[in-house]
Amino acid sequence: VIQPSTDSLQIWVDQGTDRNLPKEVRAQILPKAYDEIQKRNNDSLTRHYFTELSLGYNRLDDSLMFRKINDQTRELSKIAKDTLSEALAEWDLGSHFRTNSVMDSAFLQYKKAHDLLQKVDSTSHIARVLYNIALVQMAVEDYTAAETSAVKAIEIMKPLEKFRSLYLNYNVLGSVAKELNEYDRALEYFKTANDYLIKLKSNEGFKTRQFPALQNNIGNVYKDQGDYENAIKYYNNALQIDDSLLYKRPTRYAQYLINLSVSRLSIGDTLGLKKDLKVAKQLYKDQGDAEGLSFAHYAFAEYFLTLKDTVQALHSAQLAKKFAEQSTNNKRLLASLRLLPSIDLKNSIVHTE
């Protein structure tokens, strides 16, 4: 017989980890669930709840509570010799580090999770961890390793017809191919990713989030090739597929809007461009996204450079560099450092030191 408290606890856990609920609502629900779980014995259900709670706090960006609960989860799992729960806790810690751009620690935690999962032969979990490892490898620009991890995950998931996972890993392969300037392969991988996304019958929320992201990724391939007309088409698709994108995922909206603006700038279409860039910059500012602000200011620098306004271009490029340093994003920092000498010719040596 399910006790009322257990029933309530499950509801709190479900709501506390539900990304569709506002953060302030989840922040009120999760402490109730935590207080209730603290009263329980160390059994498999309790450890499952702890795992879910740590995920919930990670999604709230509450590092203190996440680490506290994650430590408890790993300790309880070790005491109970529950290898699967321990692996999931290591996995969560890896995701926490990846979210906070501590990629070396993220890789180590994912590797621990992977090794533990191999002990219990949990193949679908192994594949999902391999996908996360591929994301870390992508972030540190180890593209060959990222491709290997994604291919291993695909080999596991294809016979199981796990369309969600197959979509995600083909998306990684597409992104890897783009970074290696293998544009035809990238488009083919993204097409395969799209096919698997269409096949996914459940989880409509996931599909709604991913279709714009995939359109943006395809747009990036065309932009890097210099085919700005096609890039513009796909960036417009990314912005228009989901009417709620601006409100539910403002930083994604800002990213796609800047990509569209940069492509329009490349063909000399500047009508309303400054306004769009301002909108994107404000969205990043509202979210406290330093990496996004670097991206926005970099786009502004390119815009002002096109207008031959070197004073504003230099100011924007310097801000792009500043926010890239704050976010510890080396890719954005290098882009800013490459741009600065082309604007400030007098101090070009200083910028490249």
Side-chain angles (χ1 to χ4, degrees):
V1 178
I2 298 175
Q3 297 298 322
S5 60
T6 303
D7 193 34
S8 298
L9 178 56
Q10 184 64 62
I11 291 169
W12 289 335
V13 169
D14 290 343
Q15 290 177 338
T17 55
D18 186 355
R19 278 197 180 107
N20 293 317
L21 289 177
K23 279 190 172 183
E24 55 270 21
V25 173
R26 285 179 274 153
Q28 291 176 348
I29 292 169
L30 284 171
K32 295 179 185 178
Y34 180 65
D35 289 344
E36 180 62 32
I37 293 169
Q38 292 279 76
K39 303 171 187 175
R40 294 174 172 265
N41 294 326
N42 181 14
D43 57 25
S44 59
L45 184 59
T46 297
R47 292 190 296 277
H48 168 73
Y49 283 144
F50 267 115
T51 300
E52 290 294 298
L53 273 194
S54 68
L55 175 64
Y57 275 109
N58 197 39
R59 288 176 176 173
L60 281 182
D61 301 321
D62 187 336
S63 295
L64 189 64
M65 279 302 295
F66 167 79
R67 291 300 297 267
K68 180 179 179 180
I69 295 171
N70 183 262
D71 286 347
Q72 284 182 270
T73 309
R74 286 185 292 146
E75 184 61 29
L76 291 172
S77 299
K78 286 174 183 175
I79 291 169
K81 294 183 171 53
D82 183 347
T83 305
L84 180 58
S85 289
E86 186 183 351
L88 295 177
E90 298 289 2
W91 182 348
D92 282 348
L93 187 54
S95 295
H96 175 75
F97 284 131
R98 183 167 66 84
T99 300
N100 290 283
S101 301
V102 189
M103 295 304 174
D104 53 348
S105 297
F107 180 82
L108 290 173
Q109 293 304 138
Y110 284 144
K111 185 69 170 60
K112 283 183 184 178
H114 178 269
D115 293 346
L116 287 166
L117 289 166
Q118 284 190 314
K119 290 181 181 179
V120 293
D121 197 27
S122 182
T123 52
S124 63
H125 281 114
I126 289 169
R128 287 165 60 196
V129 169
L130 283 168
Y131 165 71
N132 282 277
I133 289 172
L135 293 181
V136 171
Q137 291 162 332
M138 276 275 294
V140 299
E141 300 181 28
D142 188 352
Y143 298 121
T144 302
E147 184 176 30
T148 300
S149 298
V151 167
K152 284 180 181 177
I154 287 167
E155 288 171 352
I156 293 170
M157 290 305 201
K158 254 189 182 172
L160 302 175
E161 296 190 341
K162 298 290 186 179
F163 299 138
R164 185 181 188 275
S165 184
L166 288 167
Y167 157 73
L168 289 169
N169 282 285
Y170 273 105
N171 203 20
V172 166
L173 291 180
S175 297
V176 166
K178 182 192 82 73
E179 293 298 331
L180 296 173
N181 301 325
E182 297 173 359
Y183 300 120
D184 289 340
R185 280 184 70 210
L187 291 172
E188 190 60 36
Y189 283 137
F190 286 137
K191 181 182 179 299
T192 304
N194 186 66
D195 292 342
Y196 280 119
L197 192 57
I198 290 169
K199 285 181 181 179
L200 189 63
K201 300 301 180 186
S202 60
N203 203 339
E204 288 301 319
F206 175 79
K207 290 174 73 170
T208 300
R209 292 193 302 272
Q210 292 301 318
F211 272 123
L214 187 55
Q215 297 295 303
N216 177 72
N217 288 346
I218 295 170
N220 286 340
V221 177
Y222 285 117
K223 177 166 69 71
D224 284 6
Q225 284 181 292
D227 184 350
Y228 299 112
E229 297 288 352
N230 264 318
I232 287 167
K233 181 178 79 173
Y234 281 97
Y235 291 140
N236 273 320
N237 288 345
L239 288 163
Q240 293 167 8
I241 285 174
D242 180 9
D243 292 338
S244 65
L245 181 66
L246 173 59
Y247 307 103
K248 287 187 177 178
R249 298 169 74 82
T251 56
R252 285 296 179 95
Y253 185 92
Q255 178 191 359
Y256 306 159
L257 187 58
I258 290 176
N259 283 336
L260 173 63
S261 299
V262 169
S263 294
R264 288 179 54 212
L265 184 64
S266 298
I267 61 169
D269 178 10
T270 59
L271 185 63
L273 203 64
K274 188 176 182 181
K275 180 183 175 184
D276 285 347
L277 290 176
K278 281 184 175 179
V279 167
K281 184 178 75 171
Q282 189 61 46
L283 288 170
Y284 282 130
K285 188 176 181 182
D286 291 344
Q287 298 298 314
D289 188 333
E291 182 179 324
L293 283 168
S294 175
F295 185 35
H297 284 293
Y298 183 92
F300 261 116
E302 290 189 316
Y303 169 75
F304 287 123
L305 198 54
T306 301
L307 299 181
K308 301 192 181 341
D309 185 344
T310 54
V311 173
Q312 289 286 359
L314 179 59
H315 178 63
S316 294
Q318 288 169 336
L319 286 172
K321 176 175 175 284
K322 175 186 136 184
F323 285 113
E325 288 170 340
Q326 282 184 16
S327 65
T328 65
N329 185 306
N330 288 331
K331 193 171 182 179
R332 293 248 53 86
L333 180 58
L334 288 171
S336 302
L337 289 171
R338 282 195 295 265
L339 182 62
L340 277 163
S342 66
I343 303 169
D344 188 13
L345 294 174
K346 290 180 182 177
N347 294 306
S348 59
I349 295 175
V350 174
H351 295 309
T352 53
E353 282 180 347

